[in-house]
Short mmCIF file of all heavy atoms in Angstrom, two decimals:
data_model
loop_
_atom_site.label_atom_id
_atom_site.label_comp_id
_atom_site.label_asym_id
_atom_site.label_seq_id
_atom_site.Cartn_x
_atom_site.Cartn_y
_atom_site.Cartn_z
N HIS A 1 -8.15 -10.45 15.52
CA HIS A 1 -8.49 -10.63 14.12
C HIS A 1 -9.90 -10.16 13.91
O HIS A 1 -10.12 -9.36 12.92
CB HIS A 1 -8.36 -12.13 13.86
CG HIS A 1 -8.78 -12.45 12.41
ND1 HIS A 1 -10.08 -12.61 12.06
CD2 HIS A 1 -8.08 -12.59 11.27
CE1 HIS A 1 -10.19 -12.90 10.78
NE2 HIS A 1 -8.96 -12.84 10.25
N ASP A 2 -10.81 -10.61 14.71
CA ASP A 2 -12.21 -10.24 14.51
C ASP A 2 -12.51 -8.68 14.67
O ASP A 2 -13.23 -8.11 13.94
CB ASP A 2 -13.14 -10.92 15.44
CG ASP A 2 -13.14 -12.51 15.18
OD1 ASP A 2 -12.65 -12.90 14.09
OD2 ASP A 2 -13.65 -13.26 16.05
N SER A 3 -11.84 -8.07 15.62
CA SER A 3 -11.98 -6.64 15.90
C SER A 3 -11.35 -5.85 14.69
O SER A 3 -11.93 -4.87 14.27
CB SER A 3 -11.29 -6.24 17.22
OG SER A 3 -11.99 -6.85 18.26
N ALA A 4 -10.21 -6.31 14.26
CA ALA A 4 -9.52 -5.58 13.07
C ALA A 4 -10.41 -5.80 11.86
O ALA A 4 -10.61 -4.72 11.05
CB ALA A 4 -8.14 -6.13 12.89
N HIS A 5 -10.94 -6.92 11.66
CA HIS A 5 -11.83 -7.08 10.50
C HIS A 5 -13.09 -6.17 10.54
O HIS A 5 -13.41 -5.52 9.54
CB HIS A 5 -12.33 -8.56 10.46
CG HIS A 5 -13.16 -8.92 9.28
ND1 HIS A 5 -12.72 -9.07 7.94
CD2 HIS A 5 -14.49 -9.06 9.26
CE1 HIS A 5 -13.82 -9.29 7.23
NE2 HIS A 5 -14.91 -9.37 8.02
N SER A 6 -13.69 -6.09 11.72
CA SER A 6 -14.89 -5.30 11.88
C SER A 6 -14.54 -3.79 11.69
O SER A 6 -15.34 -3.06 11.06
CB SER A 6 -15.42 -5.55 13.28
OG SER A 6 -16.57 -4.80 13.55
N LEU A 7 -13.49 -3.39 12.31
CA LEU A 7 -13.06 -1.98 12.21
C LEU A 7 -12.68 -1.66 10.81
O LEU A 7 -12.92 -0.49 10.30
CB LEU A 7 -11.90 -1.72 13.22
CG LEU A 7 -11.55 -0.24 13.48
CD1 LEU A 7 -12.88 0.49 13.93
CD2 LEU A 7 -10.51 -0.19 14.54
N PHE A 8 -12.13 -2.60 10.11
CA PHE A 8 -11.76 -2.33 8.67
C PHE A 8 -12.98 -1.85 7.93
O PHE A 8 -13.04 -0.94 7.17
CB PHE A 8 -11.08 -3.59 8.05
CG PHE A 8 -10.87 -3.45 6.53
CD1 PHE A 8 -9.66 -2.80 6.17
CD2 PHE A 8 -11.79 -3.94 5.67
CE1 PHE A 8 -9.41 -2.63 4.70
CE2 PHE A 8 -11.54 -3.78 4.30
CZ PHE A 8 -10.38 -3.20 3.91
N ALA A 9 -14.03 -2.73 8.03
CA ALA A 9 -15.27 -2.40 7.29
C ALA A 9 -15.88 -1.12 7.68
O ALA A 9 -16.31 -0.30 6.84
CB ALA A 9 -16.31 -3.57 7.53
N THR A 10 -15.86 -0.81 8.94
CA THR A 10 -16.45 0.43 9.48
C THR A 10 -15.68 1.67 8.96
O THR A 10 -16.27 2.64 8.48
CB THR A 10 -16.46 0.42 11.01
OG1 THR A 10 -17.22 -0.67 11.42
CG2 THR A 10 -16.98 1.71 11.56
N THR A 11 -14.38 1.61 9.00
CA THR A 11 -13.53 2.71 8.56
C THR A 11 -13.58 2.97 7.11
O THR A 11 -13.48 4.16 6.62
CB THR A 11 -12.09 2.51 9.06
OG1 THR A 11 -11.58 1.33 8.57
CG2 THR A 11 -11.96 2.62 10.60
N GLN A 12 -13.79 1.90 6.31
CA GLN A 12 -13.74 2.06 4.82
C GLN A 12 -14.95 2.84 4.37
O GLN A 12 -14.89 3.65 3.42
CB GLN A 12 -13.65 0.74 4.20
CG GLN A 12 -12.27 0.02 4.38
CD GLN A 12 -11.08 0.99 4.17
OE1 GLN A 12 -10.75 1.31 3.08
NE2 GLN A 12 -10.51 1.41 5.36
N ILE A 13 -16.13 2.64 5.05
CA ILE A 13 -17.33 3.34 4.65
C ILE A 13 -17.15 4.83 4.70
O ILE A 13 -17.64 5.54 3.83
CB ILE A 13 -18.49 2.94 5.57
CG1 ILE A 13 -18.84 1.50 5.39
CG2 ILE A 13 -19.71 3.79 5.35
CD1 ILE A 13 -19.63 1.07 4.25
N VAL A 14 -16.49 5.32 5.78
CA VAL A 14 -16.20 6.77 5.91
C VAL A 14 -14.85 7.30 5.42
O VAL A 14 -14.42 8.37 5.66
CB VAL A 14 -16.41 7.24 7.40
CG1 VAL A 14 -17.79 7.06 7.86
CG2 VAL A 14 -15.53 6.52 8.36
N GLY A 15 -14.15 6.34 4.64
CA GLY A 15 -13.05 6.76 3.94
C GLY A 15 -11.75 6.92 4.86
O GLY A 15 -10.86 7.73 4.51
N VAL A 16 -11.65 6.18 5.82
CA VAL A 16 -10.45 6.20 6.70
C VAL A 16 -9.43 5.17 6.14
O VAL A 16 -9.20 4.16 6.83
CB VAL A 16 -10.73 6.04 8.18
CG1 VAL A 16 -9.45 6.19 9.00
CG2 VAL A 16 -11.87 6.88 8.66
N SER A 17 -9.03 5.45 4.97
CA SER A 17 -8.19 4.43 4.28
C SER A 17 -6.79 4.38 4.72
O SER A 17 -6.01 3.41 4.45
CB SER A 17 -8.21 4.66 2.75
OG SER A 17 -7.71 6.04 2.48
N LYS A 18 -6.36 5.28 5.54
CA LYS A 18 -5.04 5.48 6.07
C LYS A 18 -4.69 4.21 6.88
O LYS A 18 -3.52 3.88 7.02
CB LYS A 18 -4.90 6.75 6.90
CG LYS A 18 -3.50 7.10 7.22
CD LYS A 18 -3.52 8.49 7.86
CE LYS A 18 -2.10 8.95 7.86
NZ LYS A 18 -1.98 10.40 7.89
N ILE A 19 -5.62 3.59 7.45
CA ILE A 19 -5.30 2.36 8.36
C ILE A 19 -5.80 1.06 7.69
O ILE A 19 -5.72 0.10 8.32
CB ILE A 19 -6.00 2.55 9.81
CG1 ILE A 19 -7.46 2.85 9.65
CG2 ILE A 19 -5.23 3.61 10.54
CD1 ILE A 19 -8.11 2.82 11.02
N ALA A 20 -6.24 1.15 6.48
CA ALA A 20 -6.77 -0.09 5.89
C ALA A 20 -5.65 -1.18 5.80
O ALA A 20 -5.92 -2.34 6.22
CB ALA A 20 -7.22 0.16 4.43
N LEU A 21 -4.48 -0.89 5.33
CA LEU A 21 -3.44 -1.87 5.26
C LEU A 21 -3.01 -2.29 6.68
O LEU A 21 -2.78 -3.50 6.89
CB LEU A 21 -2.18 -1.25 4.53
CG LEU A 21 -0.97 -2.16 4.40
CD1 LEU A 21 -1.37 -3.41 3.66
CD2 LEU A 21 0.15 -1.49 3.72
N THR A 22 -2.92 -1.45 7.62
CA THR A 22 -2.56 -1.78 8.98
C THR A 22 -3.60 -2.81 9.58
O THR A 22 -3.22 -3.70 10.19
CB THR A 22 -2.50 -0.55 9.83
OG1 THR A 22 -1.58 0.37 9.34
CG2 THR A 22 -2.03 -0.92 11.27
N LEU A 23 -4.92 -2.53 9.37
CA LEU A 23 -5.92 -3.41 9.85
C LEU A 23 -5.82 -4.85 9.14
O LEU A 23 -6.02 -5.82 9.86
CB LEU A 23 -7.32 -2.84 9.64
CG LEU A 23 -7.59 -1.70 10.63
CD1 LEU A 23 -8.84 -0.81 10.15
CD2 LEU A 23 -7.74 -2.12 12.06
N LYS A 24 -5.51 -4.88 7.86
CA LYS A 24 -5.34 -6.13 7.19
C LYS A 24 -4.16 -6.78 7.76
O LYS A 24 -4.17 -8.05 7.98
CB LYS A 24 -5.21 -5.88 5.73
CG LYS A 24 -6.46 -5.58 4.96
CD LYS A 24 -7.44 -6.66 4.98
CE LYS A 24 -8.66 -6.40 4.21
NZ LYS A 24 -9.63 -7.50 4.27
N GLU A 25 -3.04 -6.06 8.04
CA GLU A 25 -1.86 -6.62 8.59
C GLU A 25 -2.15 -7.24 9.95
O GLU A 25 -1.64 -8.34 10.35
CB GLU A 25 -0.72 -5.61 8.73
CG GLU A 25 -0.19 -5.23 7.39
CD GLU A 25 0.85 -4.11 7.46
OE1 GLU A 25 0.75 -3.35 8.45
OE2 GLU A 25 1.54 -3.86 6.52
N LEU A 26 -2.95 -6.59 10.75
CA LEU A 26 -3.28 -7.08 12.06
C LEU A 26 -4.05 -8.36 11.99
O LEU A 26 -3.86 -9.35 12.74
CB LEU A 26 -4.12 -6.04 12.92
CG LEU A 26 -3.29 -4.91 13.51
CD1 LEU A 26 -4.22 -3.87 13.98
CD2 LEU A 26 -2.50 -5.41 14.64
N GLN A 27 -4.96 -8.40 11.02
CA GLN A 27 -5.67 -9.74 10.80
C GLN A 27 -4.73 -10.80 10.53
O GLN A 27 -4.82 -11.99 11.09
CB GLN A 27 -6.66 -9.57 9.69
CG GLN A 27 -7.88 -8.69 10.03
CD GLN A 27 -8.82 -8.52 8.89
OE1 GLN A 27 -9.38 -9.48 8.35
NE2 GLN A 27 -8.93 -7.30 8.40
N LYS A 28 -3.75 -10.58 9.65
CA LYS A 28 -2.74 -11.59 9.26
C LYS A 28 -1.86 -11.96 10.45
O LYS A 28 -1.62 -13.14 10.73
CB LYS A 28 -1.91 -11.07 8.07
CG LYS A 28 -0.98 -12.07 7.56
CD LYS A 28 -0.28 -11.59 6.27
CE LYS A 28 0.67 -12.53 5.67
NZ LYS A 28 1.93 -12.64 6.34
N LEU A 29 -1.33 -10.92 11.15
CA LEU A 29 -0.33 -11.12 12.23
C LEU A 29 -1.04 -11.97 13.38
O LEU A 29 -0.38 -12.70 14.03
CB LEU A 29 0.08 -9.82 12.80
CG LEU A 29 1.14 -8.96 11.89
CD1 LEU A 29 1.22 -7.61 12.41
CD2 LEU A 29 2.43 -9.74 11.84
N SER A 30 -2.28 -11.76 13.55
CA SER A 30 -2.98 -12.43 14.62
C SER A 30 -3.24 -13.92 14.34
O SER A 30 -3.58 -14.70 15.32
CB SER A 30 -4.32 -11.74 15.00
OG SER A 30 -5.22 -11.95 13.90
N THR A 31 -3.09 -14.28 13.15
CA THR A 31 -3.21 -15.75 12.84
C THR A 31 -1.92 -16.41 12.50
O THR A 31 -1.91 -17.73 12.33
CB THR A 31 -4.10 -15.91 11.58
OG1 THR A 31 -3.54 -15.24 10.43
CG2 THR A 31 -5.47 -15.28 11.83
N GLU A 32 -0.81 -15.78 12.58
CA GLU A 32 0.48 -16.37 12.39
C GLU A 32 0.86 -17.31 13.50
O GLU A 32 0.53 -17.01 14.67
CB GLU A 32 1.57 -15.37 12.08
CG GLU A 32 1.37 -14.68 10.77
CD GLU A 32 2.46 -13.62 10.52
OE1 GLU A 32 3.25 -13.34 11.43
OE2 GLU A 32 2.55 -13.12 9.46
N ALA A 33 1.59 -18.33 13.25
CA ALA A 33 2.01 -19.26 14.29
C ALA A 33 2.86 -18.57 15.26
O ALA A 33 2.66 -18.77 16.53
CB ALA A 33 2.73 -20.48 13.65
N GLU A 34 3.81 -17.73 14.86
CA GLU A 34 4.63 -16.99 15.78
C GLU A 34 4.12 -15.62 15.95
O GLU A 34 4.19 -14.78 14.93
CB GLU A 34 6.11 -16.95 15.28
CG GLU A 34 6.78 -18.30 15.29
CD GLU A 34 7.04 -18.85 16.66
OE1 GLU A 34 7.42 -18.05 17.58
OE2 GLU A 34 6.83 -20.12 16.91
N LYS A 35 3.48 -15.21 17.02
CA LYS A 35 2.86 -13.89 17.23
C LYS A 35 3.96 -12.95 17.70
O LYS A 35 4.70 -13.25 18.61
CB LYS A 35 1.77 -13.99 18.29
CG LYS A 35 0.74 -15.08 18.06
CD LYS A 35 -0.15 -14.88 16.89
CE LYS A 35 -1.38 -15.81 16.84
NZ LYS A 35 -1.10 -17.18 16.57
N ASP A 36 4.01 -11.77 17.03
CA ASP A 36 4.88 -10.73 17.34
C ASP A 36 4.10 -9.68 18.13
O ASP A 36 3.51 -8.76 17.52
CB ASP A 36 5.59 -10.06 16.12
CG ASP A 36 6.63 -9.06 16.55
OD1 ASP A 36 6.60 -8.46 17.65
OD2 ASP A 36 7.43 -8.74 15.66
N TYR A 37 3.95 -9.85 19.49
CA TYR A 37 3.11 -9.04 20.32
C TYR A 37 3.47 -7.50 20.22
O TYR A 37 2.59 -6.67 20.05
CB TYR A 37 3.16 -9.47 21.73
CG TYR A 37 2.28 -8.60 22.69
CD1 TYR A 37 0.91 -8.68 22.61
CD2 TYR A 37 2.92 -7.66 23.55
CE1 TYR A 37 0.17 -7.82 23.43
CE2 TYR A 37 2.12 -6.87 24.32
CZ TYR A 37 0.78 -6.96 24.25
OH TYR A 37 -0.01 -6.21 25.08
N GLU A 38 4.69 -7.22 20.25
CA GLU A 38 5.15 -5.82 20.24
C GLU A 38 4.80 -5.16 18.86
O GLU A 38 4.39 -3.97 18.86
CB GLU A 38 6.67 -5.66 20.49
CG GLU A 38 7.06 -5.99 21.91
CD GLU A 38 6.27 -5.20 22.99
OE1 GLU A 38 6.11 -3.99 22.80
OE2 GLU A 38 5.87 -5.73 24.02
N LEU A 39 4.88 -5.87 17.81
CA LEU A 39 4.50 -5.39 16.48
C LEU A 39 2.98 -5.15 16.46
O LEU A 39 2.53 -4.02 15.95
CB LEU A 39 4.93 -6.25 15.41
CG LEU A 39 4.65 -5.89 13.95
CD1 LEU A 39 5.14 -4.50 13.60
CD2 LEU A 39 5.05 -6.90 12.94
N ILE A 40 2.27 -6.07 16.91
CA ILE A 40 0.82 -6.01 16.95
C ILE A 40 0.41 -4.77 17.84
O ILE A 40 -0.41 -3.97 17.39
CB ILE A 40 0.18 -7.26 17.45
CG1 ILE A 40 0.36 -8.40 16.41
CG2 ILE A 40 -1.27 -7.11 17.83
CD1 ILE A 40 -0.02 -9.74 16.85
N LYS A 41 1.00 -4.70 19.01
CA LYS A 41 0.69 -3.65 19.85
C LYS A 41 0.98 -2.27 19.24
O LYS A 41 0.11 -1.32 19.39
CB LYS A 41 1.50 -3.75 21.21
CG LYS A 41 1.22 -2.71 22.28
CD LYS A 41 2.03 -3.00 23.42
CE LYS A 41 1.98 -1.79 24.35
NZ LYS A 41 3.02 -1.88 25.39
N SER A 42 2.05 -2.05 18.58
CA SER A 42 2.31 -0.77 18.01
C SER A 42 1.46 -0.48 16.89
O SER A 42 1.01 0.68 16.67
CB SER A 42 3.79 -0.82 17.51
OG SER A 42 4.05 -1.64 16.34
N LYS A 43 0.99 -1.46 16.10
CA LYS A 43 -0.01 -1.27 15.07
C LYS A 43 -1.38 -0.84 15.55
O LYS A 43 -2.05 -0.04 15.02
CB LYS A 43 -0.12 -2.46 14.09
CG LYS A 43 1.14 -2.66 13.25
CD LYS A 43 1.07 -3.83 12.25
CE LYS A 43 2.23 -3.98 11.40
NZ LYS A 43 2.50 -2.91 10.56
N VAL A 44 -1.73 -1.41 16.65
CA VAL A 44 -3.03 -1.17 17.35
C VAL A 44 -2.98 0.26 17.83
O VAL A 44 -3.95 1.02 17.81
CB VAL A 44 -3.28 -2.16 18.48
CG1 VAL A 44 -4.46 -1.68 19.35
CG2 VAL A 44 -3.71 -3.51 17.86
N GLU A 45 -1.84 0.76 18.44
CA GLU A 45 -1.73 2.05 18.84
C GLU A 45 -1.76 3.06 17.80
O GLU A 45 -2.44 4.04 17.89
CB GLU A 45 -0.31 2.32 19.55
CG GLU A 45 -0.24 1.54 20.89
CD GLU A 45 1.17 1.44 21.49
OE1 GLU A 45 2.19 1.82 20.86
OE2 GLU A 45 1.25 0.97 22.60
#
């Protein structure tokens, strides 16, 4: 969650908007009660 949040801010400054939604999704997925590790892993990749 924290890394995705930090990377979101960093990437937005230089206009790497292609991963903005993915980073927001990672923040959300990491706080859900049922964690989908494979989905998180594929988004991180």
Side-chain angles (χ1 to χ4, degrees):
H1 179 274
D2 294 348
S3 298
H5 178 78
S6 178
L7 194 55
F8 174 84
T10 301
T11 56
Q12 294 313 288
I13 296 279
V14 295
V16 186
S17 58
K18 192 170 195 155
I19 55 175
L21 181 60
T22 304
L23 289 166
K24 287 291 187 184
E25 289 171 343
L26 281 168
Q27 290 177 62
K28 184 176 184 277
L29 289 168
S30 67
T31 60
E32 291 179 349
E34 294 292 321
K35 311 290 193 286
D36 186 339
Y37 177 74
E38 291 303 319
L39 178 60
I40 290 171
K41 183 180 167 193
S42 70
K43 288 186 180 293
V44 169
E45 289 167 355

